[in-house]
Amino acid sequence: MNAPLPIQESAIDLGMVRDAVAAYVGAEIAPHAAAWDREARFPAQALRGLAALGCYGIAVPEEFGGAGLNYQALAVILEEIAAGDGATSTVISVNNCPVCSILMAWGNAAQKEQWLKPLASGAMLGAFCLTEPHVGSDASAIRTRAQRHGEDYVLDGVKQFITSGKHADVAIVMAVTDPQAGKRGISAFLVPTNTKGYRIARLEDKVGQRASDTAQIAFEACRIPAGYRLGDEGQGYRIALSGLEGGRIGIAAQSVGMARAAFHAALRYAKDREAFGTRIFEHQAVQFRLADMAMQVESARQLIAHAARLKDAGRPCLKEAAMAKLLASEMAERVCSDAIQIHGGYGVVQDFPVERIWRDVRVCQIYEGTSDIQRILIARALAQESGV
């Protein structure tokens, strides 16, 4: 058996990156997260501050308006933002991967100049339109059509559960250009959200992450120039999938951030709360629960770091990214639930943050591929590795 290729360690000072983002989150995001949740208020001002820190295009080279960092830094940054507010981290995660990552990989020079630079610098915000009302995990079954009319395409269809669908400036949209070709008949397009025919049909009233708008978008005779197509006709399915490795690393990292926040809230509460004449932290049952929580958070963080190092080294990491996303998202719900248990009755009231974090983290097992999809991907990779 050949020895694995060495993975270059990041030359980036991840500790400095973490400290800078954590300081901003502690001052400008965490104190407002509960109010944003109650009011379903988009955190526009806080996002401008994150843009100034370089968080909109973390792994995008500086020549294209990004921070020029890597996926290890992306994981660290998204964890810190999510520790302050899960909804804000989702907005940032989507703008990075898949939006900026797809434009980096598939955009031509003109598209990178027109769209990637402002998206990576924070002058614009991006959305990704793949899911449809009748199509979730089976992306090859989308029905939104894009028909060529001379030098334009006209889009018609409906997209569902679109993060930042209301507040985004541009959306990457997957649409069918050849209905007879199956998944090879899907193409990708850049659609400015102020284009006539881009309509916000509804905003979802969600159980969590209420500060991040999730929209149903109707495309009604939405005409865009042919030059807004990404790649060639028929490459849309590949383009969509290409953004998922980085996206799964991002969702895994935000899961760890939320779980970490819930853990620290539970630890503080256990040290303050008294029962039976002593702090509840002194009870072995509580200590064991906290120990398990800490271990699970750190285990997920290390798996994410491994997937990110592989991606930074240019090595395949589909399996590792899927493992990280699966482990972290399912771990996070358990840890948040345990944090509620440690709080007792106070865990389910809005005076304490753990009920909000628990609501925010639940969707991490669904978007960027459900837990079942991650297991399918991991199993396929195992089959290929073993030659089965």
Side-chain angles (χ1 to χ4, degrees):
M1 180 182 295
N2 293 329
L5 294 173
I7 300 172
Q8 294 294 323
E9 289 296 325
S10 172
I12 297 165
D13 188 337
L14 295 177
M16 185 178 296
V17 171
R18 185 183 294 277
D19 290 346
V21 177
Y24 179 80
V25 169
E28 304 295 338
I29 293 178
H32 308 292
W36 294 340
D37 173 71
R38 285 193 303 271
E39 300 165 13
R41 189 192 335 154
F42 189 72
Q45 183 62 38
L47 288 167
R48 283 191 284 272
L50 290 172
L53 285 173
C55 297
Y56 270 52
I58 298 165
V60 176
E62 292 180 18
E63 64 184 289
F64 295 117
L69 301 176
N70 59 17
Y71 281 87
Q72 295 170 71
L74 181 140
V76 165
I77 289 168
L78 287 175
E79 178 186 331
E80 290 303 322
I81 297 171
D85 179 44
T88 304
S89 71
T90 295
V91 176
I92 295 294
S93 182
V94 169
N95 196 77
N96 276 275
C97 302
V99 175
C100 283
S101 63
I102 283 177
L103 268 163
M104 269 299 302
W106 296 91
N108 59 36
Q111 290 166 343
K112 288 178 179 178
E113 183 68 29
Q114 184 175 1
W115 305 112
L116 180 58
K117 283 187 176 181
L119 284 164
S121 67
M124 286 185 177
L125 180 65
F128 180 65
C129 298
L130 175 62
T131 300
E132 298 185 357
H134 67 289
V135 173
S137 298
D138 184 10
S140 64
I142 64 171
R143 297 175 186 170
T144 297
R145 290 290 309 276
Q147 294 181 294
R148 186 71 180 256
H149 290 267
E151 295 302 310
D152 296 331
Y153 283 93
V154 177
L155 278 64
D156 288 280
V158 179
K159 295 294 183 179
Q160 182 71 17
F161 303 132
I162 306 305
T163 297
S164 304
K166 176 182 178 181
H167 290 92
D169 300 287
V170 62
I172 295 178
V173 182
M174 301 299 152
V176 176
T177 47
D178 183 356
Q180 307 305 314
K183 64 184 180 183
R184 293 181 178 85
I186 297 172
S187 301
F189 301 90
L190 290 156
V191 181
T193 59
N194 61 2
T195 305
K196 183 180 179 181
Y198 180 101
R199 182 172 66 85
I200 301 160
R202 62 174 287 163
L203 293 174
E204 303 299 340
D205 188 6
K206 302 172 298 181
V207 67
Q209 297 203 19
R210 290 169 49 78
S212 166
D213 62 286
T214 302
Q216 182 184 88
I217 306 298
F219 294 90
E220 300 166 338
C222 184
R223 183 179 292 267
I224 57 170
Y228 287 6
R229 189 188 67 223
L230 278 165
D232 297 328
E233 281 199 4
Q235 289 186 316
Y237 190 71
R238 286 177 57 199
I239 291 172
L241 295 184
S242 72
L244 294 181
E245 278 184 357
R248 286 167 182 153
I249 290 170
I251 300 306
Q254 72 163 183
S255 299
V256 166
M258 285 184 267
R260 190 190 87 195
F263 164 72
H264 283 304
L267 181 60
R268 288 193 300 270
Y269 184 84
K271 289 183 174 181
D272 289 339
R273 177 72 168 174
E274 291 189 1
F276 304 103
T278 187
R279 299 180 306 167
I280 65 171
F281 180 79
E282 303 302 329
H283 297 293
Q284 192 177 66
V286 175
Q287 290 180 355
F288 281 8
R289 192 185 295 273
L290 287 165
D292 285 344
M293 293 161 71
M295 176 186 65
Q296 292 174 66
V297 170
E298 187 58 34
S299 296
R301 181 184 290 120
Q302 295 304 320
L303 184 53
I304 295 163
H306 174 57
R309 285 194 296 268
L310 285 170
K311 188 160 183 66
D312 288 335
R315 295 179 60 180
C317 64
L318 186 147
K319 179 186 72 176
E320 290 77 10
M323 285 179 169
K325 198 267 188 186
L326 174 63
L327 179 74
S329 61
E330 295 196 344
M331 170 280 297
E333 186 183 11
R334 290 194 303 272
V335 167
C336 290
S337 180
D338 284 344
I340 289 174
Q341 196 69 26
I342 288 171
H343 279 74
Y346 290 112
V348 295
V349 299
Q350 292 186 0
D351 293 346
F352 291 80
V354 289
E355 63 84 27
R356 171 177 52 81
I357 301 170
W358 177 65
R359 288 188 287 106
D360 284 351
V361 86
R362 181 59 181 86
V363 73
C364 292
Q365 296 175 59
I366 297 172
Y367 53 24
E368 291 286 350
T370 65
S371 290
D372 289 338
I373 290 295
Q374 306 312 312
R375 289 184 168 91
I376 290 170
L377 293 171
I378 294 165
R380 286 177 181 169
L382 294 174
Q384 291 174 354
E385 291 171 358
S386 63
V388 174

